[in-house]
PDB file of all heavy atoms in Angstrom:
ATOM      1  N   GLY A1406     -18.953 -33.217   9.447  1.00 97.00           N
ATOM      2  CA  GLY A1406     -19.752 -33.707   8.291  1.00 97.00           C
ATOM      3  C   GLY A1406     -19.174 -34.995   7.802  1.00 97.00           C
ATOM      4  O   GLY A1406     -18.991 -35.995   8.588  1.00 97.00           O
ATOM      5  N   LEU A1407     -18.928 -35.133   6.519  1.00 97.00           N
ATOM      6  CA  LEU A1407     -18.450 -36.380   5.911  1.00 97.00           C
ATOM      7  C   LEU A1407     -16.918 -36.392   5.902  1.00 97.00           C
ATOM      8  O   LEU A1407     -16.342 -37.398   5.484  1.00 97.00           O
ATOM      9  CB  LEU A1407     -18.990 -36.518   4.493  1.00 97.00           C
ATOM     10  CG  LEU A1407     -20.468 -36.865   4.371  1.00 97.00           C
ATOM     11  CD1 LEU A1407     -20.931 -36.646   2.982  1.00 97.00           C
ATOM     12  CD2 LEU A1407     -20.688 -38.353   4.830  1.00 97.00           C
ATOM     13  N   GLY A1408     -16.280 -35.331   6.290  1.00 97.00           N
ATOM     14  CA  GLY A1408     -14.823 -35.338   6.379  1.00 97.00           C
ATOM     15  C   GLY A1408     -14.145 -35.528   5.031  1.00 97.00           C
ATOM     16  O   GLY A1408     -13.092 -36.161   4.972  1.00 97.00           O
ATOM     17  N   THR A1409     -14.701 -34.985   3.953  1.00 96.00           N
ATOM     18  CA  THR A1409     -14.131 -35.162   2.625  1.00 96.00           C
ATOM     19  C   THR A1409     -13.021 -34.166   2.348  1.00 96.00           C
ATOM     20  O   THR A1409     -12.354 -34.315   1.341  1.00 96.00           O
ATOM     21  CB  THR A1409     -15.258 -34.997   1.593  1.00 96.00           C
ATOM     22  OG1 THR A1409     -15.909 -33.770   1.815  1.00 96.00           O
ATOM     23  CG2 THR A1409     -16.224 -36.141   1.713  1.00 96.00           C
ATOM     24  N   SER A1410     -12.881 -33.173   3.231  1.00 96.00           N
ATOM     25  CA  SER A1410     -11.834 -32.167   3.087  1.00 96.00           C
ATOM     26  C   SER A1410     -11.408 -31.773   4.541  1.00 96.00           C
ATOM     27  O   SER A1410     -12.061 -32.125   5.488  1.00 96.00           O
ATOM     28  CB  SER A1410     -12.256 -30.986   2.315  1.00 96.00           C
ATOM     29  OG  SER A1410     -13.358 -30.303   2.932  1.00 96.00           O
ATOM     30  N   THR A1411     -10.326 -30.961   4.595  1.00 97.00           N
ATOM     31  CA  THR A1411      -9.836 -30.617   5.937  1.00 97.00           C
ATOM     32  C   THR A1411     -10.918 -30.009   6.769  1.00 97.00           C
ATOM     33  O   THR A1411     -11.615 -29.105   6.351  1.00 97.00           O
ATOM     34  CB  THR A1411      -8.626 -29.658   5.801  1.00 97.00           C
ATOM     35  OG1 THR A1411      -7.615 -30.219   4.994  1.00 97.00           O
ATOM     36  CG2 THR A1411      -8.129 -29.191   7.165  1.00 97.00           C
ATOM     37  N   CYS A1412     -11.091 -30.518   7.994  1.00 97.00           N
ATOM     38  CA  CYS A1412     -12.143 -30.085   8.852  1.00 97.00           C
ATOM     39  C   CYS A1412     -11.794 -28.630   9.348  1.00 97.00           C
ATOM     40  O   CYS A1412     -10.666 -28.376   9.662  1.00 97.00           O
ATOM     41  CB  CYS A1412     -12.259 -30.979  10.084  1.00 97.00           C
ATOM     42  SG  CYS A1412     -12.785 -32.681   9.675  1.00 97.00           S
ATOM     43  N   GLN A1413     -12.827 -27.797   9.455  1.00 96.00           N
ATOM     44  CA  GLN A1413     -12.695 -26.379   9.851  1.00 96.00           C
ATOM     45  C   GLN A1413     -13.212 -26.219  11.241  1.00 96.00           C
ATOM     46  O   GLN A1413     -14.169 -26.856  11.671  1.00 96.00           O
ATOM     47  CB  GLN A1413     -13.467 -25.510   8.859  1.00 96.00           C
ATOM     48  CG  GLN A1413     -13.073 -25.599   7.441  1.00 96.00           C
ATOM     49  CD  GLN A1413     -11.596 -25.264   7.204  1.00 96.00           C
ATOM     50  OE1 GLN A1413     -11.101 -24.242   7.680  1.00 96.00           O
ATOM     51  NE2 GLN A1413     -10.869 -26.122   6.456  1.00 96.00           N
ATOM     52  N   GLY A1414     -12.502 -25.378  12.019  1.00 96.00           N
ATOM     53  CA  GLY A1414     -12.914 -25.072  13.383  1.00 96.00           C
ATOM     54  C   GLY A1414     -12.800 -26.194  14.375  1.00 96.00           C
ATOM     55  O   GLY A1414     -13.582 -26.294  15.381  1.00 96.00           O
ATOM     56  N   VAL A1415     -11.813 -27.099  14.102  1.00 97.00           N
ATOM     57  CA  VAL A1415     -11.659 -28.308  14.977  1.00 97.00           C
ATOM     58  C   VAL A1415     -10.336 -28.254  15.818  1.00 97.00           C
ATOM     59  O   VAL A1415      -9.964 -29.273  16.376  1.00 97.00           O
ATOM     60  CB  VAL A1415     -11.751 -29.593  14.164  1.00 97.00           C
ATOM     61  CG1 VAL A1415     -13.059 -29.740  13.481  1.00 97.00           C
ATOM     62  CG2 VAL A1415     -10.613 -29.692  13.209  1.00 97.00           C
ATOM     63  N   GLN A1416      -9.667 -27.126  15.810  1.00 96.00           N
ATOM     64  CA  GLN A1416      -8.393 -27.000  16.546  1.00 96.00           C
ATOM     65  C   GLN A1416      -8.626 -27.408  17.984  1.00 96.00           C
ATOM     66  O   GLN A1416      -9.541 -26.919  18.650  1.00 96.00           O
ATOM     67  CB  GLN A1416      -7.862 -25.566  16.481  1.00 96.00           C
ATOM     68  CG  GLN A1416      -6.485 -25.416  17.035  1.00 96.00           C
ATOM     69  CD  GLN A1416      -5.408 -25.949  16.124  1.00 96.00           C
ATOM     70  OE1 GLN A1416      -5.510 -25.968  14.933  1.00 96.00           O
ATOM     71  NE2 GLN A1416      -4.330 -26.433  16.807  1.00 96.00           N
TER      72      GLN A1416
END
Side-chain angles (χ1 to χ4, degrees):
L1407 287 166
T1409 54
S1410 60
T1411 301
C1412 298
Q1413 303 299 312
V1415 298
Q1416 187 73 30

